[in-house]
Structure formats: C-alpha cells, structure tokens
DNA sequence: CATAAAATTTAGGCAAGTCTAAAAATTTAA
DNA sequence: TTAAATTTTTAGACTTGCCTAAATTTTATG
C-alpha cells in the first residue's frame, strides 16, 4: 500500500506531466505538493525504489505504468467525490476541491465502484474534467480556450483550466458556467481582453480569464 | 487540529469508558487501538497536554469535556457514513465498519451536516447504534440482551453488541436482523443456549450469541 | 504485611516525512 | 567556453508515532 503522501506525489507528477508529456522537475513537484525541493528528492528515491517513477538524478522524473495507474485512480476518486458533493450534497463547484483532496485517499475499490454506479457513471466532474473509468481510461475531448476563438464563432463552455475558488466564483457571477453558449464579439487590441455575449448579455473578460475557460465549437 | 491517530485514541477511550463510566486503563486502550502499552503512555501524555483527557500516572484516564465532544463527533461521522454505505451504496451491514473507520476522519463539519440531511437525519446506524446529532446529543434507549428475556416474552431486535463481520453474517443467516420480532421459548439448562422463534421458525442460539443481541420489549 | 504478579512508565531506538544549510550538477549567458 | 545563476542533491536534524527492554508502581495473594 502507498501512503497518503506518496499518493499525493504521484498525483502531482501525473498532473504536471499531462500537458507536456515531458519529464517533471523536482522544483515543480515541490511547488505542487507544497514542500521543499530537498523533501521531494527524498520522496523521489522512495518512489523510484517502489518502481512507481523513472528517476535519474538531476534529470527529472516520469511515472511508470504502475505509477500512472495509481495516479489515475486517485484522479478518478477525486472527480467522483466532487461529483457526489455537488450533485447529491449540493455543494457549489468552488467548494468541493479541498474536500475531494481528502476523500480521494479512501482506499476501497469496492466503495468507489459503487459510488460511481450510485451517481449514474458520470463522465465529467463539476469542472468539466473527464472522470477516468475503473480501468483507467480517460475520455479526452478536444477543448480549446476562449482566447483562441475567432469573433463571431459561437461555442459552448465545457470546462475550466483553473480551479481556484475565487476564479470559479467569478465565473458563476458572470454566468460563465458549464453548458453555457457564448460568442466572442471582439478582442480588444489594447489588452487582448474579450467581449463576448452570454445569455443575450455582453460581458468583458480579461485575456487571462479567456485562456482559462475551455469550450467546444 | 488533531491527527488521525489522536482521534482514534479519543474514540477508543470514549467507547471504553461508556459502559462503566470509570477511568480507562492503558492496557485496554492498547488493545483497542492495536498498539503496545508503551506507545499508549506516550500518546496519553500528548492528549493530556492538549487537555483532551484527565491523566494521572498509573491511574488510568478519562476524557475532558472537550475530548468527549471530539470523540462523539467521530462516532457521529462513523455512524452516518455506515448509514450512507448501507442505504445508498447497498453494502451489507457486515461490510461497512472498516470503511467507516477511514471515512470518520474526514474533517469537514459542513460535509457531515449535509450528509446527515441528505440521508434524512437518521437516528440509528445499520447496527442499531444511535447517531449523535450535530450538538453531540445521543439518544439512549434501554436495550437489553436476549439472554435476559423470560421464555414467552416477545421482543424486537434493536441492535447488536458485537460488530465482527462473522457475527453479523451469522445473524443474517439466522434471520436475526434489526426490526425482527423474536420470542424465547426455552433456555436450555445444560449450556444456557436459547431456543427462540423468529418468523414462525424455531432457532437455537448460544448464550454468547444471546448476550450480544439487543432487544426492546 | 511482605512478596509475587501484573500493569504502567521510562529509556533508547527506528521509520516516515519534513526542514535548513551546504555541496554538487546543470543550465544560461557573457 | 568559462563564469554565474539556477536547480538539484546531500548532510544533519526535528517531529510523530511506534517498538523492545528495563525500571517502577500498583495490586493481588499467602
Ligand atoms: Mn478538484
Ligand atoms: Mn474537478
Ligand atoms: Mn462501525
Ligand atoms: Mn455501527
């Protein structure tokens, strides 16, 4: 069995490696798990001994197949619990992440499979992230950030790249939630902020916000 | 905040002190949390420093008001999760205890209050144990073991004293589950085993079993 | 009451995970 | 292509929780 701490390291390495598919640096892991680089090095040795990561000193790390499977399973648990918290307990989408960080470490496989079934085998969590199935398969859709849309090109919000509560609360307030149809009207040359229409209203969002909202055309 | 381990010690001290309301010995705690007496002594010092227990060397311990409140809250979480697992995820009553041992340490108060509401504010867990409310109040009914019934005195099964899976599975097989009406027919003088009728059948249970099934008349 | 037995505590250590400071390797840039 | 900056690793230490063995206290018994 792996400790709570080991699981968090594996999950962080997974999340850090997904976007680029390159090896992950000690410092980036340290930032992600909120420790110091020296502590990360200690843990990397341990995970390498357990054959959960590929590690050569100074060269960064990647997950082995086994390590990746463990990481994906934790992501599965995290997202299913988030779905549960929002759908059944009526938490808001900005309130569930921290709770899921705890719940994702509950060990029983039987529990999570039953939870999955109880929830109706949901495919996406409250932030639009895909929920891996029990075999570790993850559906990946081609989502693009609003910042890459052309003016006039309407699209539907499918997810977010940033999960910070303040960001999610802001989206809620602007009515920019999952499932909403939006259409960029104009990109302001000065600061690249985006004017877009949602629900027949025109709203303006910064480039930074536009980059963190994912849509499908 | 208290660690997972500290919570388990407090819970054990609570469960050990309830029946007799006397101070609890180091050895009994060691047996209950599955460690050695020396480790218990270490922890008792720590809990005493935190003013969660009253501790004088060699004299056993009792919970302070604060310690008791923490313990009861863990019991509340344990029993609510057990209820959830049985009612919503359809686990059997002999399968939920170990899982609840993990879930009871999830920290959020908001989570547990919402879970309570989602479940319809249940009053008893799947083993008939009362679920403390959010203020720490515990309903206590006068339940008596089958072994104290007179022959002919019919009663309803309301709980069990023993939670071991093998015991619960046995009761399930014998149809001696919560809510069932039973009537002792005869106590066998030789070994104090009890003949009783359930569902128009006559079954025989040992004295030991009879002592661990709680009923109300 | 004195001694034997049992329970409890102390002493000294170990493993996991973290930290700071210092050393080593790698990367960047002059 | 060498020096400086950055990143990573090592060294040494701390905390939590656990252990065994030995010492101490309490309790039981003749
Ligand atoms: Mn999350
Ligand atoms: Mn999510
Ligand atoms: Mn239980
Ligand atoms: Mn129970």
């Amino acid at each position: 069995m792996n400790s709570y701490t080991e699981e968090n390291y594996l999950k962080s390495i997974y999340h850090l490696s997904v976007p680029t598919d390159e090896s992950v640096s000690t410092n980036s892991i340290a930032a992600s798990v909120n420790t110091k680089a020296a502590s990360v090095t200690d843990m990397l040795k341990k995970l390498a001994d357990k054959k959960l990561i590929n590690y050569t000193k100074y060269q960064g790390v990647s997950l082995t197949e086994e390590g990746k499977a463990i990481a994906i399973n934790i992501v599965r648990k995290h997202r299913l619990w988030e779905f549960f918290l929002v759908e059944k307990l009526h938490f808001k989408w900005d309130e569930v992440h921290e709770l899921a960080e705890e719940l994702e470490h509950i060990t029983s496989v039987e529990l999570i499979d039953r939870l999955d079934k109880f929830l109706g085998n949901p495919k996406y969590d409250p932030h639009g992230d895909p929920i891996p199935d029990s075999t570790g398969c993850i559906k990946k859709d081609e989502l693009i950030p609003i910042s890459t849309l052309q003016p006039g090109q309407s699209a539907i919000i499918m997810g977010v790249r940033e999960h910070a509560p303040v960001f999610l609360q802001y989206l809620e307030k602007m009515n920019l939630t999952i499932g909403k149809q939006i259409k960029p009207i104009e990109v302001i040359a000065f600061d690249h902020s985006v004017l877009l229409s949602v629900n027949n209203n025109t709203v303006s969002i910064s480039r930074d916000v536009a980059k963190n909202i994912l849509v499908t055309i």
Side-chain angles (χ1 to χ4, degrees), chain A:
Chain A
M1 207 35 345
N2 307 296
S3 71
Y4 185 110
T5 311
E6 289 168 331
E7 289 188 347
N8 279 337
Y9 273 89
L10 292 173
K11 186 181 55 151
S12 281
I13 295 168
Y14 174 74
H15 284 312
L16 291 168
S17 68
V18 164
T20 65
D21 204 31
E22 280 171 20
S23 78
V24 174
S25 74
T26 300
N27 267 349
S28 65
I29 298 169
S32 176
V33 301
N34 249 293
T35 48
K36 296 302 160 72
S39 310
V40 173
T41 302
D42 287 346
M43 181 58 88
L44 294 183
K45 286 180 196 155
K46 197 182 312 176
L47 294 175
D49 284 349
K50 287 185 157 195
K51 303 213 191 304
L52 300 176
I53 59 173
N54 305 114
Y55 173 52
T56 356
K57 270 202 219 173
Y58 295 99
Q59 301 306 134
V61 298
S62 63
L63 294 172
T64 61
E65 281 309 306
E66 192 187 344
K68 189 175 170 185
I70 293 168
I72 288 176
N73 189 242
I74 295 164
V75 170
R76 169 172 159 79
K77 291 193 277 185
H78 183 102
R79 294 180 180 167
L80 278 171
W81 280 117
E82 284 191 344
F83 187 94
F84 168 76
L85 293 170
V86 168
E87 293 300 315
K88 301 293 182 179
L89 301 193
H90 310 301
F91 277 96
K92 289 190 252 130
W93 72 338
D94 58 286
E95 299 174 319
V96 296
H97 181 76
E98 281 311 306
L99 271 166
E101 289 290 305
E102 280 189 75
L103 288 161
E104 71 190 7
H105 300 288
I106 301 292
T107 48
S108 166
V109 171
E110 181 71 14
L111 168 61
I112 211 71
D113 287 345
R114 283 180 189 244
L115 182 65
D116 191 11
K117 193 172 173 189
F118 172 64
L119 299 174
N121 306 106
K123 299 287 166 276
Y124 299 95
D125 85 356
H127 313 102
D129 295 309
I131 298 174
D133 71 18
S134 60
T135 68
C137 288
I138 305 176
K139 187 171 208 161
K140 63 181 93 171
D141 322 276
E142 286 310 318
L143 299 183
I144 56 172
I146 287 183
S147 52
T148 64
L149 290 176
Q150 298 303 316
Q153 197 175 19
S154 88
I156 294 169
I157 298 178
M158 299 297 284
V160 290
R161 265 188 181 155
E162 168 63 56
H163 292 189
V166 280
F167 178 67
L168 300 175
Q169 285 156 16
Y170 169 72
L171 294 192
E172 188 88 28
K173 191 152 55 188
M174 303 298 273
N175 248 297
L176 295 167
T177 50
I178 289 176
K180 285 276 159 60
Q181 185 166 57
I182 56 108
K183 182 169 9 175
I185 297 165
E186 187 187 349
V187 176
I188 306 301
F190 175 62
D191 62 354
H192 302 282
S193 66
V194 182
L195 273 183
L196 43 78
S197 74
V198 207
N199 280 5
N200 298 319
N201 292 319
T202 302
V203 302
S204 165
I205 58 175
S206 71
R207 177 167 180 71
D208 203 32
V209 168
K211 283 202 281 195
N212 282 292
I213 303 177
L214 300 171
V215 300
T216 183
I217 302 167

